[in-house]
Amino acid sequence: MEGMGAMIKPEFWAGRRVFLTGHTGFKGSWLSLWLTEMGAKVTGMGLAPETTPDLFNVARADSGMTSVIGDIRTADLVLKTMQAAKPDIVIHMAAQPLVRYSYAEPVETYSTNVMGTVHVLEAVRKTPGVRAVVVVTSDKCYQNNNLDRAFLEEDAMGGHDPYSSSKGCAELVTTAYRSSYFSPSDYANHGVAIASARAGNVIGGGDWALDRLIPDVMRAITDGQSVRIRSPQAVRPWQHVLEPLAGYLILAQSLYEQGTDFAEGWNFGPPANEAKPVRWIVEMLVNLWGPQARWTQDEGIHPHEAHLLMLDSTKAHKKLGWRPVWTLEQTLSRIVDWHRAQLAGADMHAYCLEEIKAYNREAAMSA
């Protein structure tokens, strides 16, 4: 179980019915491409992409899947869409994903991240045939007391800001539904295994979200502007988007095939030495892009954000056989290459599929 090259099984996903929320987002678009490439029958539900450009359209992520544009805050629509999809597996990724936006729009943040999760799990309760559910939250779900160590799965939920708090709440909702309706002790009767997944700061080609470091850097560089950085010393567990997605896929397979042994919370983060300050990331990207790229510190007053965030993923290494494949340097180089290709007019659907194939090849080699 030391590697994970053989762990993602395309033959498992071929023909498997998957209900994916948040399929139009950055992570959701990558996962849609990966699932459909393996032959899964994917129904996605999410809001229309909010940026121009956006990965969902640039990479034609809806090719070969059923795409439903809808809001998970609408309970009836979630239920109707899920029941029509008749899924074997549910992966819930739809969210309001930005810390600073949550300060401006706390009601939207809580209604999406908390009640949206309730709506998805309630729909699972009313949809026969679902066997495995992965609820994706965030590394920010933990109560951050600035301890000088990585978070473990059993650490307390919490959150200073509305976003982080809402993700802690989503974890509590997931635990409550598992205890109340999908108890492992009653698995023989209900047949549903539910887990939650917490990833770090996910980066990769095709992220154009506002107010997020890598997209801000790439936008400024490609526009010939100086990158303005808020917190150059803040340390985050950066990882390529395909790393946690691989974890979600392996977790879903394990839930489906082995049930409640895996029905708990899971961290999917990079090694401790890959948690780097914002300044290191920006300088690496600037150097990779070339001499026209530059950055300056934004000296304005900004809302609170945690200085240090790291995840301990030992449990996923040992019990799931999941391990990161790409180093942070490889990840940043791939981001620059991705955006250069997109600016040059490459077919980004094909490019993304090639990146997924490259990831799978290197995962198999490191197994």
Side-chain angles (χ1 to χ4, degrees):
M1 296 283 285
E2 285 300 304
M4 70 160 208
M7 294 295 291
I8 295 178
K9 298 180 280 194
E11 67 278 10
F12 170 88
W13 293 98
R16 192 76 62 196
R17 293 188 301 275
V18 181
F19 185 78
L20 173 63
T21 72
H23 71 298
T24 57
F26 168 58
K27 288 171 74 176
S29 295
W30 276 104
L31 189 53
S32 296
L33 289 164
W34 201 338
L35 285 167
T36 53
E37 178 69 3
M38 292 190 291
K41 296 177 180 177
V42 183
T43 298
M45 179 177 174
L47 297 175
E50 295 183 349
T51 63
T52 303
D54 67 272
L55 180 60
F56 187 68
N57 286 302
V58 166
R60 305 190 304 285
D62 59 343
S63 300
M65 68 176 294
T66 300
S67 173
V68 177
I69 301 301
D71 195 327
I72 60 165
R73 291 175 293 179
T74 308
D76 291 347
L77 181 60
V78 176
L79 177 59
K80 182 176 122 182
T81 309
M82 188 183 294
Q83 288 185 336
K86 298 182 175 63
D88 307 303
I89 293 171
V90 173
I91 303 176
H92 173 43
M93 296 206 304
Q96 191 297 95
L98 300 172
V99 171
R100 279 162 60 93
Y101 185 86
S102 78
Y103 280 101
E105 299 292 344
V107 174
E108 178 186 339
T109 300
Y110 283 109
S111 59
T112 301
N113 295 352
V114 184
M115 289 309 299
T117 301
V118 172
H119 295 158
V120 170
L121 292 177
E122 189 65 9
V124 168
R125 201 159 74 90
K126 297 174 179 177
T127 303
V130 177
R131 288 270 300 275
V133 182
V134 177
V135 176
V136 176
T137 63
S138 167
D139 59 342
K140 297 175 184 66
C141 68
Y142 293 107
Q143 181 66 51
N144 194 332
N145 296 317
N146 290 315
L147 301 174
D148 191 21
R149 66 165 176 79
F151 287 109
L152 296 163
E153 282 89 350
E154 60 266 27
D155 284 337
M157 298 294 107
H160 179 284
D161 54 88
Y163 169 79
S164 303
S165 166
S166 75
K167 287 300 192 175
C169 290
E171 287 281 352
L172 295 176
V173 166
T174 303
T175 299
Y177 263 79
R178 181 168 52 231
S179 301
S180 301
Y181 306 113
F182 305 109
S183 170
S185 63
D186 197 34
Y187 179 72
N189 289 320
H190 59 71
V192 183
I194 297 181
S196 59
R198 306 138 190 184
N201 276 41
V202 175
I203 58 178
D207 190 0
W208 281 284
L210 299 174
D211 205 24
R212 198 181 280 162
L213 178 66
I214 303 296
D216 286 350
V217 171
M218 298 313 299
R219 252 190 305 272
I221 287 175
T222 54
D223 291 345
Q225 305 293 319
S226 180
V227 183
R228 296 177 67 81
I229 302 303
R230 292 194 303 270
S231 306
Q233 303 313 314
V235 176
R236 295 288 183 269
W238 315 96
Q239 59 190 151
H240 194 280
V241 61
L242 296 182
E243 305 280 17
L245 295 185
Y248 306 161
L249 291 170
I250 294 167
L251 177 56
Q253 289 171 186
S254 300
L255 290 166
Y256 188 95
E257 293 181 332
Q258 300 177 60
T260 58
D261 288 351
F262 298 89
E264 52 194 14
W266 298 85
N267 288 340
F268 296 102
N273 63 351
E274 296 277 84
K276 298 288 188 184
V278 166
R279 181 187 188 117
W280 188 94
I281 296 289
V282 174
E283 290 183 345
M284 181 70 71
L285 283 171
V286 163
N287 289 337
L288 284 166
W289 194 270
Q292 69 271 42
R294 59 197 189 281
W295 74 277
T296 56
Q297 184 165 351
D298 186 341
E299 301 290 353
I301 299 172
H302 305 291
H304 171 276
E305 292 189 59
H307 174 71
L308 177 67
L309 272 177
M310 291 188 294
L311 293 175
D312 185 321
S313 303
T314 303
K315 187 170 81 168
H317 299 168
K318 290 183 174 177
K319 290 185 70 175
L320 289 171
W322 173 86
R323 287 184 182 277
V325 174
W326 284 337
T327 66
L328 187 50
E329 287 90 342
Q330 287 175 300
T331 294
L332 295 174
S333 179
R334 284 185 171 278
I335 289 172
V336 168
D337 290 345
W338 195 100
H339 282 275
R340 286 193 191 281
Q342 191 264 331
L343 288 169
D347 179 342
M348 299 315 292
H349 178 86
Y351 194 101
C352 287
L353 293 181
E354 279 302 316
E355 189 139 60
I356 291 167
K357 287 176 185 171
Y359 180 88
N360 285 329
R361 280 196 303 271
E362 291 180 45
M365 288 169 60
S366 66

